[in-house]
Amino acid sequence: MASTPPAPAVAPSLVDTLFQRSLNDLVKSLRADPSAAGEAPAVTRALSEIHREIRAPDAATKSVALQKLTYLSSLHFAPIASHPLAFLAIELLASPHLPHKRLAYLAASLSLHPASLSLLPLATHQLHKDLSPSAGAHQHVSALALQLLGSPAAAAAPDLPVHLVHDLVPHLTRGSPRAIAAAARVIAASPSAAVPVLFKPLAACLASPDPRASTAAVAAFCDLLAPPADATPFLPLAPDLYNLLTTSRSNWALIKVLKLFARLAPLESRLAARIVDPVCQLLTRSAAMSLTFECIRTVLTALPAHDAAVRLAIGKAMEFIAAADDSNLRYLGLLALGMLGPAYASTVNDCREAIAKSLGDADTNIRQEALRLIMGMVNENNIMDIAALLISHVAKSDPEFANDILGAVLAACGHNVYEMVVDFDWYVSLLAHMART
């Protein structure tokens, strides 16, 4: 026999509305018996109430029901995106009351899902109204709409931001940080439709006198330029980025600018020559270790042809390695030396003593990075010395790292059919010593 379809839920009565349980009441009922046996009936009862209450004509009753549904969704009891009440949840977006609208936008961020794309026409129309300056939308309402477009949830419905690209332009012109974040999300989701409309207004925010707007724009372009994105279309941003590099006092913004220049400088030698002095000045005077390391990384990866800058960066990296009271700095110093190319192999070899000292560090990551650097120095002229150095640390190391050392020595000696081993008597004695160890 075919199963009888469930009867549709009816709107709540006046008594139900007057005695509606609040979100606080729902939380108390779930915590009253946290066991699975007690939790399941409480969730079932709550969902039954929500089914009735969310259909109420009264917006206040509906908003409390949506609040409870959103809470249960956050606990994975009732995902809104696949829930039959998703439409009714999105319907509250049209409420003129800001608290109701704020709750509806939160529910909308949970509803944007491939399973609920049929809701897009309603959501798109209401977002268009809330973003439109001609509609006299309250700035807090616009902020809610921008926050939704800038959230990861918008990526689940790429057609939604495409229809709203022109609505973002006035907010970008005002330098709204939320609009900048939303524009970056829209460009990443649909570059073919969004770049022609949003790229120039977003780039103009880099020159904004408001540091909030310029900083948000730098962060947006940093996300858009992350590998494997092609950096060439972003070269026209160099003048505004250079201005920020030389005038900004925000360490966070400067770190983002340096990340951008690290991608752009290898594409244009004149740009590398232009930024090397400001980067070295930051490297010399900055007391912020995070900014100093970003300067080191930029010099070693994007400005390798500027020897004086590279030497300065290596000196700073050695200061990091010598920081006895900060293991994070020691690790970053070793990581920086690992960024040096073959042209500076002799410089890394000169630091062998400091690197070898890190083999005995208490931090596992520091020991592994030191071992990687030392193995990168190996050649047929020094393999005996390096092998002796590493074997001397085996007895002082924990069993796991000792095995890593022995494995690295064996791999180096056996590389390309023992091409670096010139004395096999030495190699046999080394194997015997390793076996005894």
Side-chain angles (χ1 to χ4, degrees):
M1 292 179 59
S3 59
T4 304
V10 296
S13 65
L14 178 61
V15 174
D16 291 334
T17 302
L18 289 174
F19 295 97
Q20 182 184 25
R21 290 199 303 167
S22 66
L23 175 62
N24 191 39
D25 296 329
L26 171 61
V27 173
K28 288 179 179 178
S29 69
L30 292 176
R31 292 178 178 175
D33 186 356
S35 66
E39 191 176 68
V43 171
T44 301
R45 176 192 172 191
L47 288 174
S48 177
E49 293 174 350
I50 291 168
H51 270 263
R52 296 194 312 274
E53 295 165 358
I54 206 167
R55 290 178 168 82
D58 176 37
T61 303
K62 183 179 292 189
S63 68
V64 173
L66 181 56
Q67 194 176 30
K68 293 189 287 187
L69 179 61
T70 304
Y71 176 75
L72 292 177
S73 177
S74 69
L75 298 181
H76 306 289
F77 286 124
I80 293 181
S82 58
H83 202 276
L85 303 182
F87 176 82
L88 297 169
I90 299 297
E91 190 181 24
L92 200 61
L93 282 174
S95 173
H97 299 289
L98 183 61
H100 297 169
K101 197 175 272 289
R102 183 183 292 115
L103 177 60
Y105 268 104
L106 174 59
S109 68
L110 299 173
S111 301
L112 291 177
H113 186 276
S116 59
L117 293 185
S118 59
L119 303 176
L120 282 183
L122 175 61
T124 303
H125 176 70
Q126 189 58 46
L127 281 166
H128 178 74
K129 289 177 62 177
D130 291 342
L131 289 171
S132 175
S134 60
H138 195 280
Q139 64 176 12
H140 294 304
V141 175
S142 298
L144 290 172
L146 292 170
Q147 189 168 343
L148 174 63
L149 289 178
S151 69
D159 290 341
L160 175 63
V162 168
H163 295 301
L164 299 167
V165 288
H166 292 281
D167 296 299
L168 289 175
V169 175
H171 299 279
L172 285 175
T173 305
R174 293 201 303 269
S176 164
R178 285 189 176 91
I180 292 170
R185 180 76 65 177
V186 172
I187 290 174
S190 306
S192 59
V195 167
V197 179
L198 297 179
F199 190 88
K200 285 186 178 180
L202 184 58
C205 294
L206 290 171
S208 172
D210 184 352
R212 296 175 302 170
S214 59
T215 301
V218 168
F221 280 116
C222 199
D223 290 340
L224 292 173
L225 196 51
D230 180 16
T232 306
F234 296 85
L235 275 172
L237 303 176
D240 289 327
L241 292 175
Y242 180 83
N243 183 58
L244 287 172
L245 180 65
T246 54
T247 61
S248 178
R249 294 295 176 264
S250 167
N251 290 338
W252 190 87
L254 287 170
I255 288 172
K256 296 291 185 181
V257 170
L258 288 169
K259 288 182 181 294
L260 289 169
F261 275 130
R263 295 293 314 280
L264 298 176
L267 303 178
E268 177 56 69
S269 58
R270 292 173 298 177
L271 178 58
R274 182 72 169 162
I275 68 171
V276 65
D277 287 340
V279 173
C280 288
Q281 290 174 14
L282 284 176
L283 188 55
T284 303
R285 73 168 188 256
S286 177
M289 294 297 102
S290 55
L291 179 56
T292 301
F293 177 73
E294 201 58 48
C295 289
I296 294 172
R297 193 211 302 264
T298 303
V299 169
L300 297 184
T301 58
L303 308 173
H306 298 269
D307 187 68
V310 174
R311 299 288 174 186
L312 177 61
I314 292 172
K316 285 291 183 179
M318 293 306 298
E319 291 179 15
F320 279 19
I321 294 174
D325 58 340
D326 195 329
S327 60
N328 292 325
L329 288 183
R330 295 198 299 275
Y331 176 74
L332 291 176
L334 294 171
L335 200 64
L337 291 182
M339 298 175 191
L340 288 168
Y344 290 92
S346 60
T347 303
V348 178
N349 195 54
D350 293 340
C351 305
R352 188 197 301 179
E353 183 178 347
I355 297 172
K357 186 178 178 181
S358 298
L359 290 170
D361 199 280
D363 190 296
T364 303
N365 293 324
I366 292 177
R367 295 200 302 267
Q368 293 289 351
E369 189 63 28
L371 179 60
R372 188 183 69 83
L373 283 173
I374 288 178
M375 297 314 299
M377 306 175 192
V378 175
N379 57 51
E380 62 180 13
N381 298 320
N382 63 16
I383 189 169
M384 293 184 180
D385 294 336
I386 289 180
L389 171 67
L390 292 174
I391 295 300
S392 67
H393 280 82
V394 169
K396 298 180 287 185
S397 303
D398 61 83
E400 183 178 356
F401 187 58
N403 287 335
D404 291 340
I405 292 175
L406 296 175
V409 171
L410 290 173
C413 292
H415 177 69
N416 202 14
V417 197
Y418 306 99
E419 68 173 353
M420 287 189 289
V421 178
V422 295
D423 184 349
F424 277 90
D425 290 337
W426 164 81
Y427 185 54
V428 171
S429 64
L430 175 68
L431 292 176
H433 181 56
M434 291 170 66
R436 290 193 299 270
T437 303

